Amino acid sequence: MAASSVTAVDDPYLFSRMRLAESLHREFPQDGELVDALISLPRELFVEPASRFRAYEDEALPIRFGQSISQPYMVLFMTRLLRPEAGLRVLEIGTGSGYQTALLARLKMEVFSLEILEPLYREAESRLRALNLISGIHLRHGDGRLGWPEMSPFQRILVTAAPAERVPPALRDQLAEGGVLVAPVGPQGGAQHLSLEEKVHGRFKKVLSIPVRFVPLV
Ligand code: SAH
């Protein structure tokens, strides 16, 4: 994994990073490459400075404006459901810190990511640029409920904030035939579930639904 390119002397996170890698490899035994891709990202640079010391704990952490970066386990879980493949076009709703975005790009997908909070969008953009992770990533400030029609169709759509009732219809329209959509759905503080659907002959086939907790799609 990429952590081997740094030494304990210049990487204060090495130990916690390796411990997280080990536990994720145990939890996702079939997905070694995916785990390595995630661990190769410097998560400490995606969270607030005050939370850096917890960057490699398997937990969600605050980013600015009351938003949060998902727990590494959840990032992997959702990415895995998305069936990532090099070259596929993926629409992500809720750029946030850009961490999930960076992972999708690491997997060589072409990522189109929308963020509704302008300062978060700007920060994500400069962060990904500074870390040299921007290649294959297209960011835009805007309302993800409308999708990104000019760039559609997308073979994959990943929503990282939960609409209260249903996945916005524009997103369904922008999913390619045979495509996969992963989204949390449900009210804040109420029952939310993560849904996985496939578009087959223009219709949506629900593959899976499990209970989760996400920030709201606004
Ligand atoms: N995937 C992110 C975490 C996302 S948190 C990461 O890895 O850091 C959910 C994000 O969705 C927040 O940044 C929030 O501002 C954004 N969001 C909420 N409603 C949105 C909407 N309608 N359109 C686009 N982004 C939205």
Side-chain angles (χ1 to χ4, degrees), residues 145-147 166-175 181 199 204:
R145 288 172 302 185
L146 307 174
R166 69 185 79 82
V167 173
L171 299 183
R172 294 183 179 280
D173 292 344
Q174 292 170 33
L175 186 67
L181 183 143
K199 194 172 190 174
F204 282 83

Side-chain angles (χ1 to χ4, degrees), residues 33-34 37 50 55 78 106 119 126 136 146 151 157 178 196:
E33 275 180 42
L34 180 55
M78 294 210 296
R106 268 279 153 95
S126 48
L146 307 174
M151 296 298 174
I157 298 182
L196 165 63

Side-chain angles (χ1 to χ4, degrees), residues 67-68 94-97 99-100 115-117 120 143-144 160 217-218:
Q67 305 304 319
S68 56
T95 314
S97 68
Y99 184 69
Q100 170 82 67
E115 171 56 53
I116 201 162
L117 297 175
L120 280 184
D143 185 351
T160 70
L217 184 77
V218 293

Side-chain angles (χ1 to χ4, degrees), residues 58-173:
D58 195 9
E59 57 186 32
L61 291 171
I63 54 177
R64 290 167 61 207
F65 306 102
Q67 305 304 319
S68 56
I69 177 172
S70 299
Q71 175 190 2
Y73 178 90
M74 187 49 68
V75 173
L76 285 179
F77 189 82
M78 294 210 296
T79 305
R80 191 169 177 274
L81 289 184
L82 202 63
R83 280 190 258 131
E85 270 176 53
L88 293 188
R89 294 156 64 81
V90 53
L91 175 66
E92 181 193 36
I93 307 302
T95 314
S97 68
Y99 184 69
Q100 170 82 67
T101 320
L103 177 62
L104 295 171
R106 268 279 153 95
L107 301 172
K108 303 202 164 50
M109 298 180 85
E110 182 156 18
V111 195
F112 298 82
S113 184
L114 291 167
E115 171 56 53
I116 201 162
L117 297 175
E118 187 170 22
L120 280 184
Y121 150 76
R122 281 181 200 280
E123 258 178 38
E125 161 114 74
S126 48
R127 172 182 294 122
L128 292 168
R129 209 171 279 292
L131 293 173
N132 226 341
L133 294 170
I134 197 85
S135 153
I137 295 178
H138 314 265
L139 300 178
R140 204 172 81 171
H141 166 226
D143 185 351
R145 288 172 302 185
L146 307 174
W148 197 331
E150 313 87 278
M151 296 298 174
S152 70
F154 302 96
Q155 283 94 30
R156 301 287 187 263
I157 298 182
L158 176 62
V159 185
T160 70
E165 284 171 11
R166 69 185 79 82
V167 173
L171 299 183
R172 294 183 179 280
D173 292 344

Side-chain angles (χ1 to χ4, degrees), residues 184-200:
V185 180
Q188 273 313 284
Q192 292 185 346
H193 62 272
L194 187 67
S195 103
L196 165 63
E197 296 176 77
E198 273 175 34
K199 194 172 190 174
V200 183

